Amino acid sequence: MTDQTLSTSRLSDLMYTPVTTVHQFMAKAEIQPILPEPAPNGCARQFDERQSLLMMLAADMVRSGMKFPLAARWACRIAEQLLFEPEAPRVHIEFRRNGALFCFTSDDAPEAADAARRHYQRQ
């Protein structure tokens, strides 16, 4: 990961979301674990690459119809997985119709994800 950062306004542009909406998102407790530290007065909060990606992912989930608190919780679960393997070359994220989320960094899905996939293939 590089040391590049994005300001909140630049991130909102990449999220295709008004900056006021991004500030409203950032005020929710569910997203707090992945946010950068608050900036001093008069300065913009700076998001690193991973924080930016997670915010954009949460915004995409909201655009697809999900409520923000759930999207934020899922973004935090993905962040937790990335903490276990910070140098993972890729991250696989599987969403299920029943609301389950599986996030893994290897090419092999976890047992629960495999079982869910087999269940839905039989239907």
Side-chain angles (χ1 to χ4, degrees), residues 57-72 74 95 99:
L57 182 61
D60 284 346
M61 288 187 268
V62 169
R63 261 192 299 287
S64 67
M66 188 180 294
K67 300 288 185 192
F68 183 77
L70 178 59
W74 281 9
F95 299 96

Side-chain angles (χ1 to χ4, degrees), residues 6-63:
L6 295 172
S7 66
T8 306
S9 60
R10 179 68 184 119
L11 179 60
S12 74
D13 290 342
L14 294 172
M15 291 169 62
Y16 300 104
T17 306
V19 72
T20 55
T21 303
V22 173
H23 284 288
Q24 290 170 349
F25 286 169
M26 291 178 0
K28 304 287 184 191
E30 293 86 358
I31 200 73
Q32 296 300 314
I34 65 170
L35 294 180
E37 292 296 318
N41 285 341
C43 297
R45 214 179 258 220
Q46 296 295 313
F47 291 79
D48 67 23
E49 290 175 343
R50 184 163 290 162
Q51 293 163 330
S52 299
L53 171 76
L54 292 166
M55 286 293 290
M56 287 186 277
L57 182 61
D60 284 346
M61 288 187 268
V62 169
R63 261 192 299 287

